[in-house]
Amino acid sequence: MKKYVLSLIAVLLFAFPSLSHADAVVGDLIITLGENLTEQQKQNLLKEMNATEQNQIITVSNEEEHKYLGDYIPKATIGTKAISSTSITIEKEGSGLEVSTKNINWVTDEMYLNALMTAGVKDATIYVTAPFEVSGTAALTGLIKAYEISSDEAIPEDVKQVANEELVTTAKLGDEVGAENASALMAKIKDEIAKNGVPETEADLRTLIENAAKDLGITLSEADINSLIELFNKMKDINIDWNQVGQQLDKAQDKISNFLNSEEGQTFLQQVKDFFIALWNAIISIFTNNEQSAMKK
């Protein structure tokens, strides 16, 4: 199944036909579809993404997936079919990024956010889906491709490659330390770089990574640290707008804070609280019943 998962991200980053920036307006929806979907699968996904005849639809090929994932994932894992699909909705300037997914079982929403920020994507609502469970790695190719078309901003090839590598690196790290921890660590490292600049030496970069992990209570192996050093060294060599990355991180944090402070967020937190109270009461009940049974005996 990982071959389909990995194919999903490569789809989001490929170069597309130009579209004048004047034509891209708030609310525009651009869709990418894997070229190996059956006709029925395509229709089901288009309906799921609320597509209309006015929406621009882009096809992503398996060849494109191999182009952006081939250096980081075995070819056999990428597979021979492009399945994953995505949509990107243009939002007003300053609104930040928002990601949601369906049938994605390896790459998390936060991993997409981090990789898209690295690629320079901003102010958009992102949706990643597939007709069955896939890993989600190939989807990034399609998302970046859609963003290029909508904004008429060509993303350099080396930036696309690094964004794909980041996605795979973070997902692999998530297998060891947990997906949420891996995403939080990447965001914290980026936030530090956005605020304080890129470390000048590899030793400084190592210290930054180790301190970020320590602050989050994450234990990294030497291999994990070296993998992150290699990734961020590549980021140093390409033209990443760290100021913009920092702004997008702030927007993402603001959205989380606003949700938690909203009526909907408070209801959600109360539901979580009620769940754990009910669970605790159930556990107590089990032990109480056992004690009573033992006393009767």
Side-chain angles (χ1 to χ4, degrees):
M1 192 60 65
K2 267 191 179 178
K3 66 178 65 176
Y4 295 115
V5 174
L6 298 173
S7 298
L8 199 73
I9 286 183
V11 174
L12 293 159
L13 279 164
F14 212 60
F16 358 5
S18 64
L19 181 72
S20 70
H21 185 68
D23 290 336
V25 298
V26 173
D28 276 358
L29 174 68
I30 297 178
I31 290 170
T32 69
L33 294 175
E35 71 173 358
N36 298 114
L37 292 167
T38 67
E39 190 58 36
Q40 186 61 56
Q41 288 171 336
K42 289 179 182 178
Q43 294 306 314
N44 291 342
L45 291 180
L46 288 172
K47 182 177 180 180
E48 180 183 317
M49 292 187 280
N50 298 316
T52 68
E53 293 181 357
Q54 286 71 44
N55 298 139
Q56 185 166 3
I57 299 176
I58 302 161
T59 300
V60 180
S61 70
N62 183 246
E63 181 182 358
E64 291 171 305
E65 296 173 353
H66 280 272
K67 176 178 179 179
Y68 290 106
L69 292 169
D71 289 340
Y72 320 115
I73 301 171
K75 290 184 177 181
T77 305
I78 300 172
T80 58
K81 294 183 178 180
I83 298 295
S84 58
S85 302
T86 70
S87 72
I88 181 167
T89 303
I90 306 303
E91 305 294 352
K92 65 180 181 180
E93 185 176 351
S95 62
L97 288 172
E98 188 169 331
V99 176
S100 60
T101 59
K102 179 182 178 182
N103 283 338
I104 306 301
N105 61 18
W106 194 41
V107 178
T108 66
D109 298 2
E110 294 77 15
M111 291 178 191
Y112 284 118
L113 274 174
N114 271 314
L116 289 167
M117 289 175 188
T118 295
V121 176
K122 59 184 178 180
D123 303 329
T125 298
I126 307 295
Y127 183 63
V128 182
T129 186
F132 45 82
E133 283 202 357
V134 298
S135 64
T137 50
L140 188 60
T141 298
L143 287 174
I144 294 179
K145 186 173 184 178
Y147 181 75
E148 283 184 314
I149 289 178
S150 66
S151 64
D152 195 24
E153 294 180 14
I155 298 174
E157 288 297 308
D158 53 358
V159 174
K160 294 179 188 178
Q161 287 287 353
V162 167
N164 273 288
E165 182 175 357
E166 176 186 343
L167 190 66
V168 174
T169 298
T170 310
K172 288 179 178 178
L173 181 61
D175 289 339
E176 298 184 25
V177 303
E180 291 184 0
N181 284 338
S183 296
L185 178 60
M186 294 299 293
K188 185 170 182 58
I189 295 171
K190 288 182 174 182
D191 190 48
E192 290 294 327
I193 293 176
K195 290 177 179 177
N196 304 312
V198 180
E200 294 184 2
T201 67
E202 187 169 303
D204 291 337
L205 179 56
R206 172 181 286 271
T207 299
L208 189 160
I209 293 170
E210 291 176 342
N211 287 342
K214 183 178 179 181
D215 290 343
L216 294 172
I218 299 171
T219 301
L220 297 176
S221 67
E222 186 64 23
D224 293 334
I225 295 173
N226 289 334
S227 177
L228 290 170
I229 288 174
E230 181 180 357
L231 174 64
F232 279 95
N233 270 332
K234 290 181 180 179
M235 290 186 186
K236 287 172 59 177
D237 297 332
I238 60 178
N239 187 28
I240 290 180
D241 186 345
W242 287 105
N243 182 53
Q244 178 178 293
V245 170
Q247 290 175 358
Q248 294 299 310
L249 283 169
D250 289 341
K251 293 294 181 183
Q253 292 169 357
D254 288 344
K255 285 188 176 182
I256 294 173
S257 297
N258 290 338
F259 171 75
L260 293 178
N261 291 327
S262 69
E263 182 177 346
E264 181 184 3
Q266 290 299 311
T267 300
F268 170 74
L269 292 175
Q270 185 61 47
Q271 289 172 342
V272 173
K273 179 181 177 182
D274 291 344
F275 168 77
F276 282 107
I277 290 175
L279 179 62
W280 178 249
N281 288 338
I283 293 172
I284 291 176
S285 176
I286 292 172
F287 283 105
T288 302
N289 291 336
N290 287 342
E291 283 185 13
Q292 291 175 348
S293 297
M295 290 176 65
K296 289 180 180 179
K297 291 179 180 179

